[in-house]
Amino acid sequence: MEKRIEELEKRVDDLEREIEALKNASTIRQPYKMSQRGTDDKGSAALTDNGTKSGQDQRGADEKLKKEPVDLETLIGQIWLPRIFIIVLLIGCIFGFKVASDNHLLSPAIRIILGYAGSALLFGFGYLQMKKDRKTLGLVLFGGMVSLFMLTTFAANVLYHFEPTPVAFILNVLIVSLGIILSRIYRSEYLALFVGIGGFLLPFLIESDSPNMSFFAGYETLLYIALFFFALQQRYGILYYASILLLNMTFLVSAFLADFDDQQLISIAAGVLIQHVCLFGHSLLKREPFVFFPAIIFTSFAFVSLWWVSAFEDLVFNTFLIVAGLIYSGFAAKGFQRPVFASIATFACFLLILNLTAYDLKGIFMLIEGLIAFFIGAHYRLKLQMISGLIVYCLGAFMAPQYLIDKLISEESLYWLVVAATLALIYRLTKHMLAAIFLVFALLSMISQWDLVIMEGYTGNATQMSLSLVWAAFAVFSVLYGKLFSQKAMRLFGIIFLFFVLLKIIVIDLPIVSLWLRAVLFMAVGAVGVITSRFFYKGNTLAKEQSVGKDKS
């Protein structure tokens, strides 16, 4: 036996020495994944046979990790200076057009020709700067070229009526396409963003006596699709978010500026649905979506619901909600973007309840749906789903003032029973003290309303006495429950609430009730207090608590 112990001690010593040797050895470093675009797995450093990087590669990776000092002269002179002053140049061109127009220095045709010539010059100078590897300056000039061209086309179409609307629209589409191509060639996200903003604003720069909303929605949607796939291909996060925002903003602005009929609303509803389908398809790709994607797709679904409820009848809208809820719940069950997909399914169900159920039953169904959604989130450990369920549940609970009980058997009584039952289930699942507090107040409110309904035909004295007795009984029940289930907080609540009932009797009931009712009240409440005090001298649980207290003292 002693030999075996000695052998085990030697083995432990050997293992300790091996662990120490491993700690002192060179650590294995994971390849550094570049966050910038344009790098891939092929550009990573070569690995040795043991799977570790060579010392030279490790030093190179460490140098990349170090932040280079910011050169303010380069930052201001090469980046921000041209960006700011190209705007100043464009403003100067606008003022120049204004001066020439007011003083009749140039004819309208000459002004338009000069505007297009200026755009061509900006393009030429921008191309030369790109050739000389002055990328920032060249991109700024390209952006100025697009802006000046669109402003000139706007003047030719709206101010001077030289160009018909179709021609002006085609010219602007061509210049936007050229800007996207240039951003693709020179890999500039900011140029693509600048051109994209101009593209979304293009319909507002075209004069039309009878605007075609279907054409407007179709153009904006196609532009979004182009920018969406371009941003995905190039991994441009800013352009990705901006295109989503710009499409919805242009639709909302057009809704305020124009009077829509049902057909025009349907066109916009179809556009936002196509946008949401694009986001949904992106979420199913193996490639990880951009950050903030859950908030983006959830907000997109909310906008789709807003436009669809405005554009379609209840039957179509309810069908859309059912289909969307089934699709999202099905994909969530299979593990695709489970937190946000489950929340969207919950939201679709919530809207369906609001649209389908009668007013008296909305609160009840919202409580049940919120509870189910919360339990699903708790089962799969989805915090977002739990929050969504609690929001829906709280919206149903906030409707409590609208469910004041006036009959014992009614929708109002059913509502309060559902509130009490669901709070009890939530407390059982979470064991959270806040759920217990809400449960106690829900039960107290329910039985108080029932008592007032029963005593409706009696005098105010009898009603107040009955309410005091019901509250005293509730206090006794709280103490008894706390004793049976070893809940000290419930026992303390029962005692405090019993004193509150006594205070109510003295302050409110005593001045208004007759002498014989005073006698009944005091005898009843006094007996309840004495009987309740006896609970604290019986039972093993409380006896043990008292003995522990004595031992500590």
Side-chain angles (χ1 to χ4, degrees), residues 384-460:
L384 183 60
Q385 173 66 5
M386 293 175 68
I387 294 173
S388 301
L390 284 177
I391 290 174
V392 175
Y393 185 87
C394 290
L395 290 175
F398 289 153
M399 298 179 69
Q402 304 176 18
Y403 285 89
L404 298 180
I405 300 175
D406 54 1
K407 295 180 182 178
L408 286 180
I409 302 176
S410 61
E411 292 86 355
E412 290 78 9
S413 293
L414 179 61
Y415 172 84
W416 284 100
L417 286 172
V418 172
V419 170
T422 52
L423 283 173
L425 290 173
I426 293 175
Y427 174 71
R428 184 174 181 180
L429 176 67
T430 62
K431 301 298 182 184
H432 200 282
M433 183 57 65
L434 194 61
I437 294 173
F438 285 138
L439 174 60
V440 168
F441 281 102
L443 289 172
L444 183 61
S445 177
M446 181 176 63
I447 62 173
S448 299
Q449 292 181 77
W450 282 347
D451 178 72
L452 293 176
V453 170
I454 294 172
M455 302 297 295
E456 187 175 359
Y458 295 88
T459 62

Side-chain angles (χ1 to χ4, degrees), residues 7 17 32 80 229 262 307:
E7 291 177 358
R17 284 193 295 270
Y32 174 65
W80 287 108
F229 283 104
D262 293 339
W307 284 108

Side-chain angles (χ1 to χ4, degrees), residues 278-419:
C278 291
L279 295 174
F280 177 76
H282 179 208
S283 67
L284 301 181
L285 296 177
K286 292 183 179 179
R287 181 184 297 177
E288 188 70 20
F290 292 102
V291 294
F292 308 119
F293 183 79
I296 292 292
I297 193 170
F298 188 92
T299 306
S300 172
F301 184 80
F303 272 101
V304 172
S305 302
L306 176 65
W307 284 108
W308 274 63
V309 73
S310 303
F312 296 102
E313 299 292 335
D314 287 343
L315 178 61
V316 178
F317 181 61
N318 292 336
T319 304
F320 161 74
L321 292 176
I322 292 172
V323 173
L326 291 175
I327 291 174
Y328 276 106
S329 58
F331 277 95
K334 292 183 179 181
F336 289 94
Q337 298 289 333
R338 180 172 285 169
V340 65
F341 279 13
S343 297
I344 293 176
T346 301
F347 183 64
C349 185
F350 167 71
L351 294 178
L352 187 64
I353 288 174
L354 290 181
N355 213 38
L356 279 180
T357 57
Y359 181 78
D360 293 339
L361 298 177
K362 289 185 188 296
I364 297 173
F365 280 101
M366 288 167 64
L367 290 171
I368 296 173
E369 187 216 343
L371 179 68
I372 294 173
F374 179 78
F375 278 5
I376 292 174
H379 177 73
Y380 289 103
R381 297 181 180 179
L382 305 175
K383 291 184 178 180
L384 183 60
Q385 173 66 5
M386 293 175 68
I387 294 173
S388 301
L390 284 177
I391 290 174
V392 175
Y393 185 87
C394 290
L395 290 175
F398 289 153
M399 298 179 69
Q402 304 176 18
Y403 285 89
L404 298 180
I405 300 175
D406 54 1
K407 295 180 182 178
L408 286 180
I409 302 176
S410 61
E411 292 86 355
E412 290 78 9
S413 293
L414 179 61
Y415 172 84
W416 284 100
L417 286 172
V418 172
V419 170

Side-chain angles (χ1 to χ4, degrees), residues 64-361:
K64 290 180 182 179
L65 286 170
K66 293 179 180 179
K67 294 183 178 179
E68 297 181 359
V70 178
D71 187 355
L72 291 178
E73 182 180 1
T74 302
L75 179 65
I76 297 174
Q78 294 186 7
I79 297 177
W80 287 108
L81 193 67
R83 291 179 181 177
I84 293 173
F85 282 91
I86 193 66
I87 299 175
V88 175
L89 176 61
L90 292 174
I91 295 174
C93 292
I94 294 174
F95 286 148
F97 270 98
K98 178 67 174 173
V99 170
S101 177
D102 293 342
N103 296 279
H104 305 286
L105 299 178
L106 299 173
S107 65
I110 298 298
R111 299 169 202 162
I112 299 303
I113 293 173
L114 288 177
Y116 284 130
S119 300
L121 287 175
L122 288 175
F123 175 78
F125 283 126
Y127 182 75
L128 289 177
Q129 300 306 315
M130 299 302 291
K131 279 289 193 180
K132 296 179 180 179
D133 201 21
R134 299 166 184 164
K135 185 176 179 180
T136 303
L137 180 58
L139 292 173
V140 169
L141 293 174
F142 285 153
M145 175 267 298
V146 174
S147 300
L148 184 58
F149 189 95
M150 295 184 73
L151 288 173
T152 304
T153 304
F154 170 76
N157 174 244
V158 178
L159 300 180
Y160 305 128
H161 304 285
F162 285 157
E163 297 174 356
T165 298
V167 174
F169 181 79
I170 292 173
L171 288 176
N172 279 326
V173 169
L174 290 176
I175 198 66
V176 168
S177 302
L178 176 61
I180 296 295
I181 293 172
L182 291 174
S183 66
R184 173 69 178 86
I185 294 174
Y186 296 109
R187 297 183 180 181
S188 172
E189 181 179 13
Y190 292 102
L191 179 59
L193 178 62
F194 186 82
V195 174
I197 294 173
F200 278 108
L201 295 179
L202 191 155
F204 300 97
L205 303 177
I206 302 297
E207 185 180 37
S208 178
D209 297 329
S210 57
N212 189 331
M213 193 54 59
S214 299
F215 180 79
F216 164 76
Y219 163 77
E220 297 285 357
T221 304
L222 288 175
L223 177 62
Y224 165 75
I225 293 174
L227 293 177
F228 172 80
F229 283 104
F230 182 69
L232 279 185
Q233 182 188 23
Q234 303 298 315
R235 299 297 292 169
Y236 287 160
I238 298 176
L239 180 63
Y240 181 87
Y241 298 131
S243 61
I244 297 171
L245 177 64
L246 287 170
L247 179 65
N248 288 281
M249 289 298 295
T250 52
F251 283 161
L252 288 175
V253 170
S254 62
F256 286 109
L257 296 179
D259 295 329
F260 288 169
D261 56 24
D262 293 339
Q263 188 62 37
Q264 293 171 340
L265 281 175
I266 290 174
S267 301
I268 292 183
V272 293
L273 179 62
I274 291 172
Q275 181 192 61
H276 189 74
V277 170
C278 291
L279 295 174
F280 177 76
H282 179 208
S283 67
L284 301 181
L285 296 177
K286 292 183 179 179
R287 181 184 297 177
E288 188 70 20
F290 292 102
V291 294
F292 308 119
F293 183 79
I296 292 292
I297 193 170
F298 188 92
T299 306
S300 172
F301 184 80
F303 272 101
V304 172
S305 302
L306 176 65
W307 284 108
W308 274 63
V309 73
S310 303
F312 296 102
E313 299 292 335
D314 287 343
L315 178 61
V316 178
F317 181 61
N318 292 336
T319 304
F320 161 74
L321 292 176
I322 292 172
V323 173
L326 291 175
I327 291 174
Y328 276 106
S329 58
F331 277 95
K334 292 183 179 181
F336 289 94
Q337 298 289 333
R338 180 172 285 169
V340 65
F341 279 13
S343 297
I344 293 176
T346 301
F347 183 64
C349 185
F350 167 71
L351 294 178
L352 187 64
I353 288 174
L354 290 181
N355 213 38
L356 279 180
T357 57
Y359 181 78
D360 293 339
L361 298 177

Side-chain angles (χ1 to χ4, degrees), residues 517-537:
L517 286 178
R518 295 177 188 176
V520 172
L521 274 176
F522 274 87
M523 285 190 292
V525 175
V528 167
V530 173
I531 294 172
T532 302
S533 68
R534 295 293 297 170
F535 292 151
F536 292 89
Y537 293 93

